[in-house]
Amino acid sequence: MSLPLLSEVDAEDLLRCICFKTGPPRRIGVELEWLVHDLRDPRVPLSESRIAQAHAAVRALPLAAALTFEPGGQLELSSLPATSLSECIGSVSADLDAVRGVLRGQGLVLTGLGQDPWHPPRRLLHEPRYDAMEACLDRSGPAGRAMMCGSASIQVCLDAGNEEPGPLGYGRRWRLAHLLGAVLVAAFANSPLRQRRRTGWLSTRQSQWADLDPVRSLAPALGAEPRDTWAAHVLDAPVMCIRDDNGPWTTPEDLTFRTWVRTGLPRPPTREDLDYHMSTLFPPVRPRGHLELRMIDAQSGEDGWIVPLAVTTALFDDPAAAETVYRAVKPLAEIAGPCQAPRNPLWTNAARSGLADPELRAVAAVCFDAALDALPRMGASTAVQNAVAAFTSRYVDRGRCPADDLLEAGLGPALPPAQRIDHRKDIRP
């Protein structure tokens, strides 16, 4: 049965309808990417067979979260939508405990870093999607392979927001995400090393996203109505590949989705093609009905991921915190200038300097204080509140970020340990 074809008007209408689904913020989710390393010495390269055996063992687990693997062997858990921060943390933590137990039995460990500091990028998954992605991104340089095969992140997923204006309105949350996003890059920067060398960036991962592709990793221009700008951005973005069930996927050059719809060549696109095209765009904030914040480096320690999840959720979903933080980040728009994230001066400063940048440090202090005020109102456990307070004291108050610890520790077999959050014993529904 053939799928219905798209007109340009159909595509625009679909994008406006499906990417910002409004209503009171009620659900949160998180997508956690992890590097997989040897348990005793992460500098030891893993064979493809060892990685394949580990993947097979983890796939056999009955997990609540969706389990996927990235091209370089990174493991990703994508939580189900949760109705509270505590529910999200509890569910993902249980899955992580199970995954870690299986990997430990095979002499492996999950490592939370934004970029693999030891190993060069090596693609282990050979599927049509990744073959096409590699061919497409290689046109712009090596950043694509480094991103595909050696990076890991924490992606926080939040409802788009209310239809009406105000601190929880979807237009406000969209703009907040692109200004606060730079603060989150700076505060949680955790990737200053690549292939055993300092890169000059505290978030090497974020610098690679900025270099990925002339258009694919850019945010749309801010200022106009978000639905309109996002729809135009998607249609005017280059098509990464044209899928073919009967042969290799082609990777056209300079073919936008709008041109594909208008010409119908090399074959007319379908709704499924539009959905797939959106999955090949990697802006720092991606609207998928909800908002997917994609700019946070993976964090060290078993529970390091909980702090960015808790802080980000509090700053978006607590109305008082959202209002406070929006006022604090608005002046950052002058630093950003007219260029789109993540290629403007604001985001570049965040990735290069972290909280050593004085403007970002000052705003981060306001943001973390607002999060600490909001977390009790959101029912966060005492352990989670204490973890955010400890991170604030250790890093934000001192103008530091986790990358500074890595630089001080060097490239030994053990990375600096992060504080364990014993949240499993203190979670309120």
Side-chain angles (χ1 to χ4, degrees):
M1 179 177 177
S2 61
L3 294 171
L5 305 182
L6 280 179
S7 70
E8 188 173 349
V9 172
D10 291 337
E12 289 175 341
D13 289 344
L14 280 168
L15 289 168
R16 289 191 183 97
C17 292
I18 65 178
C19 293
F20 293 89
K21 295 179 180 178
T22 54
R26 292 193 177 100
R27 297 174 301 175
I28 63 170
V30 68
E31 300 177 18
L32 302 179
E33 295 174 341
W34 300 88
L35 306 173
V36 180
H37 286 139
D38 183 86
L39 178 63
R40 294 183 178 179
D41 188 346
R43 298 169 298 182
V44 174
L46 301 180
S47 67
E48 291 193 27
S49 62
R50 192 175 178 192
I51 286 287
Q53 290 172 2
H55 287 184
V58 174
R59 283 193 182 98
L61 289 170
L63 304 174
L67 172 71
T68 53
F69 297 96
E70 296 299 312
Q74 310 98 305
L75 183 150
E76 179 176 337
L77 288 177
S78 301
S79 76
L80 294 172
T83 57
S84 71
L85 177 63
S86 293
E87 178 189 336
C88 184
I89 291 173
S91 175
V92 175
S93 296
D95 283 346
L96 281 171
D97 284 347
V99 169
R100 287 194 177 100
V102 166
L103 292 180
R104 195 177 301 114
Q106 301 197 21
L108 299 174
V109 66
L110 297 179
T111 302
L113 294 170
Q115 181 68 36
D116 193 314
W118 297 287
H119 308 294
R122 179 184 56 157
R123 186 156 68 96
L124 302 178
L125 300 186
H126 297 280
E127 301 172 1
R129 172 181 173 88
Y130 297 126
D131 293 343
M133 184 181 294
E134 183 178 275
C136 177
L137 297 181
D138 276 353
R139 295 170 185 158
S140 301
R145 293 197 185 201
M147 175 276 293
M148 290 172 61
C149 302
S151 69
S153 71
I154 296 168
Q155 300 176 21
V156 180
C157 300
L158 303 167
D159 283 334
N162 290 324
E163 192 71 30
E164 64 269 14
L168 300 184
Y170 79 95
R172 171 79 71 85
R173 285 162 75 87
W174 178 245
R175 183 168 179 79
L176 174 63
H178 289 87
L179 295 174
L180 177 61
V183 181
L184 298 175
V185 169
F188 296 110
N190 194 35
S191 53
L193 305 164
R194 182 177 57 200
Q195 296 187 50
R196 303 173 182 260
R197 297 180 180 177
R198 298 186 179 208
T199 64
W201 299 83
L202 294 182
S203 179
T204 300
R205 174 188 164 275
Q206 183 57 52
S207 75
Q208 290 170 170
W209 281 104
D211 289 341
L212 192 65
D213 176 281
V215 175
R216 199 167 305 281
S217 62
L218 286 181
L222 298 181
E225 208 286 325
R227 290 188 176 103
D228 293 339
T229 56
W230 177 250
H233 181 75
V234 172
L235 292 179
D236 292 329
V239 173
M240 175 177 283
C241 56
I242 296 179
R243 297 170 298 159
D244 188 339
D245 293 336
N246 300 314
W249 295 9
T250 58
T251 54
E253 293 193 55
D254 302 322
L255 175 68
T256 68
F257 200 90
R258 192 186 300 277
T259 300
W260 189 12
V261 170
R262 288 177 176 177
T263 64
L265 298 173
R267 63 164 176 79
T270 65
R271 161 69 187 273
E272 191 177 53
D273 289 317
L274 178 61
D275 292 340
Y276 191 85
H277 173 61
M278 283 190 286
S279 78
T280 68
L281 303 180
F282 310 120
V285 184
R286 186 162 62 184
R288 303 180 65 185
H290 58 275
L291 299 182
E292 183 183 81
L293 280 70
R294 304 168 48 84
M295 70 288 296
I296 302 171
D297 279 358
Q299 298 293 290
S300 302
E302 290 191 3
D303 294 329
W305 59 276
I306 293 175
V307 172
L309 172 63
V311 169
T312 306
T313 303
L315 298 183
F316 274 84
D317 286 0
D318 181 84
E323 185 65 35
T324 296
V325 170
Y326 186 69
R327 290 197 300 267
V329 300
K330 279 180 67 176
L332 296 179
E334 296 183 10
I335 300 173
C339 295
Q340 295 156 259
R343 295 203 187 121
N344 60 45
L346 174 65
W347 282 69
T348 300
N349 292 347
R352 188 186 299 279
S353 303
L355 294 187
D357 179 279
E359 288 86 1
L360 287 166
R361 178 180 180 178
V363 174
V366 175
C367 292
F368 277 74
D369 285 348
L372 285 167
D373 287 342
L375 286 170
R377 295 192 292 268
M378 299 177 67
S381 71
T382 301
V384 170
Q385 294 178 51
N386 289 343
V388 174
F391 187 97
T392 304
S393 176
R394 180 175 179 177
Y395 296 115
V396 180
D397 292 346
R398 300 169 62 196
R400 290 171 58 86
C401 61
D404 293 309
D405 290 349
L406 297 176
L407 291 174
E408 291 173 0
L411 280 168
L415 295 170
Q419 181 183 7
R420 172 80 177 180
I421 304 172
D422 195 13
H423 54 84
R424 296 163 183 80
K425 298 179 180 178
D426 187 19
I427 296 177
R428 291 195 289 265

